[in-house]
Amino acid sequence: MRYIISDIHGCYEEYQELLGRLRFSPADELYVLGDAADRGPQPVKVLQDMMMRPNVTYLVGNHDYMMLRTLKKLAVEITEDNWEKHLTSDDLMNYYYWLQDGGRVTSDQFRTLPRDEQLDILDYLSDAQICTILEDRGRRFVLVHAGIRGFDECRDLDTYELSDLIFERADYSRKYYKDPRTFLVTGHTPTMLIHPHGRPEIYQANGHIAVDCGCVFGGRLAAYCIETGETFYVKSRQQGSFQSA
């Protein structure tokens, strides 16, 4: 079976419980739509677990981009030759904005790792996909982290810029694809903001499947099965008020 989850945000215990609920095995495949790190208590453990699983496909999210952009600069060894010009004011501002947007817990855990483990994580994020399309019995599932800025149904998905797919929230009132068998599958926007009743459950309507159920904000961690359409949930162990992603 193929499963889709998103926005784990360091919720390692919920992630492990969800895998158990799925009875996830080496014969299955897991697609994670970005933002495994930041905000929650154990972001590095989440990333390291996914890295060890050859049947996990990771798509980059906006938090991954901020993390990678910042830590690739900070993880470079400072030498006598580069110390004056290695970090720019823009680099320091990027670091500040990342910390303010939930990156502090990731930064603190990352810097305790041996250098080879740090580089492995950065390589893993660098290799993450931007988007992918899954097919099942005539149905197409278009997977991105956030949405598609400047969407044109006639345009190939791989012609969009990274920023078009990881920052732009999907418009859930809009049907993107005319074909009723094609679905846009996203994370990034907690479904409590989409559902009129505000409950943390997977949103399925108007050609959309939204799977970020706001686990790190006290909602739930969710999974959607491509083959069966089943949805699976684990209740959040996190405390805190809801905010935008």
Side-chain angles (χ1 to χ4, degrees):
M1 296 292 182
R2 290 173 292 175
Y3 301 97
I4 304 171
I5 66 177
S6 188
D7 294 77
I8 303 169
H9 277 307
C11 297
Y12 179 78
E13 292 183 3
E14 293 90 335
Y15 164 66
Q16 290 296 326
E17 183 180 346
L18 184 57
L19 292 182
R21 187 158 297 183
L22 298 177
R23 297 183 180 178
F24 189 67
S25 75
D28 298 317
E29 296 177 50
L30 180 66
Y31 292 82
V32 181
L33 306 186
D35 286 4
D38 293 355
R39 291 185 170 152
Q42 296 175 293
V44 168
K45 285 188 72 173
V46 173
L47 288 169
Q48 289 177 324
D49 180 273
M50 294 192 308
M51 290 166 59
M52 293 187 300
R53 298 178 186 268
N55 55 341
V56 170
T57 298
Y58 195 62
L59 275 65
V60 66
N62 59 304
H63 281 264
D64 307 308
Y65 171 75
M66 290 187 291
M67 174 185 175
L68 184 62
R69 177 182 63 182
T70 301
L71 293 182
K72 279 185 77 172
K73 297 286 289 190
L74 296 180
V76 171
E77 183 179 359
I78 303 300
T79 67
E80 185 177 344
D81 294 330
N82 69 9
W83 73 270
E84 284 188 312
K85 48 190 174 182
H86 176 63
L87 292 177
T88 66
S89 58
D90 285 343
D91 296 328
L92 296 177
M93 286 301 296
N94 288 337
Y95 183 49
Y96 170 78
Y97 288 131
W98 177 51
L99 294 183
Q100 293 300 304
D101 201 18
R104 184 172 298 280
V105 62
T106 307
S107 177
D108 289 346
Q109 292 176 11
F110 183 86
R111 68 185 182 188
T112 67
L113 297 175
R115 181 167 176 76
D116 59 335
E117 294 183 26
Q118 292 180 344
L119 296 178
D120 285 344
I121 289 175
L122 296 180
D123 286 343
Y124 181 73
L125 293 178
S126 295
D127 291 338
Q129 295 185 19
I130 298 175
C131 55
T132 194
I133 297 175
L134 304 180
E135 298 188 1
D136 178 68
R137 293 167 294 179
R139 297 176 301 161
R140 297 172 72 245
F141 298 84
V142 179
L143 276 57
V144 299
H145 172 66
I148 307 176
R149 180 191 299 149
F151 177 77
D152 182 341
E153 192 167 3
C154 298
R155 184 176 172 184
D156 289 338
L157 201 58
D158 59 6
T159 65
Y160 290 93
E161 300 292 332
L162 172 64
S163 60
D164 295 332
L165 306 179
I166 68 171
F167 292 112
E168 181 79 3
R169 295 190 188 278
D171 181 354
Y172 295 99
S173 68
R174 172 188 181 187
K175 188 173 179 62
Y176 282 62
Y177 294 95
K178 296 176 183 176
D179 184 351
R181 298 168 300 173
T182 299
F183 304 90
L184 180 62
V185 188
T186 55
H188 189 59
T189 300
T191 56
M192 298 92 91
L193 290 175
I194 307 170
H195 280 296
H197 51 58
R199 290 197 295 267
E201 60 186 40
I202 290 175
Y203 177 82
Q204 300 182 67
N206 211 22
H208 291 274
I209 302 173
V211 298
D212 174 13
C213 294
C215 183
V216 76
F217 304 122
R220 295 190 285 181
L221 190 62
Y224 176 87
C225 180
I226 289 290
E227 284 75 18
T228 67
E230 290 179 278
T231 57
F232 303 83
Y233 299 97
V234 166
K235 187 177 179 181
S236 173
R237 295 172 172 82
Q238 311 307 311
Q239 302 295 323
S241 60
F242 175 74
Q243 54 183 293
S244 64

